[in-house]
């Protein structure tokens, strides 16, 4: 016969090696939540005290993202070490932050006509600032919109990064594939019974 014991609750998540980000910052936004005194009121909403390794591993990926957005592009996050104690389940995660990197040179390839100096003001990444991976992703969107707004509707932008360990910098080249240029030949309105087409066209950015 199998005799089931009491279900152990997740009591603590222990981080080791995190100097730049606090425990609270690392756990912010996590689905996995340790059991605490107020979990009696919220346990059905938050699943507090429940340890699910697939969910926990997803949470750990956000740790890498948070560090990458602070310039720690080579951070190492260990697999969770799970142990049971009389108080419940304790999970330990070891972090090796590594070196902090700055943004190096920023350039655009594939379009000789672009005014990069003017465009720099729109970019989130700035040379010599702390490198931020989320800003890199946002800048891909900025550049893509720059081209689609100008008629290159199928333009694509791919970032290429060069890590310089000695200088602790990351150089970025945005590779652009503009594709064909499209023009608006005709704008047709349907269902407008009170306003004539020329008036509507005056209100549009496209003419």
């Amino acid at each position: 016969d199998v005799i089931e014991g009491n279900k152990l609750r997740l009591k603590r998540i222990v981080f080791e090696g995190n100097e730049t980000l606090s425990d609270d910052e690392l756990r912010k936004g996590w689905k996995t939540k340790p059991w605490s005194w107020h979990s009696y009121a919220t346990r059905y909403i938050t699943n507090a005290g429940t340890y699910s390794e697939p969910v926990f591993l997803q949470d750990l990926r956000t740790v890498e993202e948070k560090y990458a957005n602070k310039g720690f592009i080579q951070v190492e996050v260990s697999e969770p070490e799970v142990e049971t104690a009389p108080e419940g389940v304790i999970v330990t995660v070891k972090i090796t932050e590594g070196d902090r990197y700055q943004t190096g040179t920023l350039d655009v390839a594939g379009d000789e006509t672009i005014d990069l100096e003017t465009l720099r003001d729109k970019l989130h990444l700035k040379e010599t600032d702390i490198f931020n991976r989320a800003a890199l992703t946002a800048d891909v969107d900025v550049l893509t919109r720059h081209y689609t707004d100008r008629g290159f509707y199928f333009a694509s932008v791919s970032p290429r990064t060069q890590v310089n360990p000695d200088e602790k910098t990351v150089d970025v080249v945005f590779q652009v594939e503009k594709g064909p240029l499209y023009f608006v030949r005709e704008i047709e309105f349907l269902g407008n019974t009170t306003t004539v087409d020329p008036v509507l066209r005056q209100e549009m950015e496209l003419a």
Side-chain angles (χ1 to χ4, degrees), residues 8 24 31 33 48 53 62 90 93 115 119 125 129-131 140-141 147 151 153 171 173 182 186 199:
L8 292 176
D24 289 341
K31 295 180 179 178
K33 301 182 185 299
E53 186 159 297
T62 69
I90 301 172
V93 177
D115 186 352
L119 198 59
L125 285 177
D129 280 1
I130 296 300
F131 182 77
V140 170
D141 293 336
Y147 287 101
Y153 294 113
D171 297 334
V173 176
Y182 287 82
E186 181 179 352
V199 174

Side-chain angles (χ1 to χ4, degrees), residues 186-198:
E186 181 179 352
I187 300 175
E188 182 179 357
F189 298 98
L190 300 175
N192 53 311
T193 58
T194 59
T195 307
V196 295
D197 290 3

Side-chain angles (χ1 to χ4, degrees), residues 87-102:
E87 60 180 302
V89 176
I90 301 172
V91 181
T92 302
V93 177
K94 297 178 181 179
I95 296 173
T96 304
E97 294 183 341
D99 295 319
R100 197 173 202 175
Y101 281 73
Q102 294 179 317

Side-chain angles (χ1 to χ4, degrees), residues 68 71-74 99-107 125-133 136 159-173:
F72 297 93
I73 61 174
Q74 297 175 330
D99 295 319
R100 197 173 202 175
Y101 281 73
Q102 294 179 317
T103 304
T105 58
L106 299 173
D107 202 356
L125 285 177
K126 307 294 181 184
E127 293 182 358
T128 73
D129 280 1
I130 296 300
F131 182 77
N132 185 312
R133 188 167 292 169
L136 176 64
R160 299 202 313 262
T161 58
Q162 174 65 48
V163 177
N164 307 306
D166 293 337
E167 293 82 9
K168 303 294 185 293
T169 59
V170 180
D171 297 334
V172 180
V173 176

Side-chain angles (χ1 to χ4, degrees), residues 171-182:
D171 297 334
V172 180
V173 176
F174 296 98
Q175 182 66 49
V176 176
E177 297 289 341
K178 292 196 296 186
L181 176 63
Y182 287 82

Side-chain angles (χ1 to χ4, degrees), residues 28-86:
K28 186 176 181 180
W30 277 25
K31 295 180 179 178
T32 304
K33 301 182 185 299
W35 183 266
S36 60
W37 64 270
H38 55 74
S39 297
Y40 288 101
T42 61
R43 64 185 184 275
Y44 296 113
I45 301 174
T46 64
N47 287 323
T50 300
Y51 176 74
S52 169
E53 186 159 297
V55 175
F56 192 82
L57 292 177
Q58 290 179 1
D59 289 336
L60 279 186
R61 279 197 285 271
T62 69
V63 172
E64 297 176 353
E65 294 171 0
K66 290 171 183 176
Y67 270 104
N69 293 338
K70 296 288 187 180
F72 297 93
I73 61 174
Q74 297 175 330
V75 63
E76 296 180 3
V77 181
S78 73
E79 294 292 317
E81 300 176 4
V82 183
E83 61 176 314
T84 58

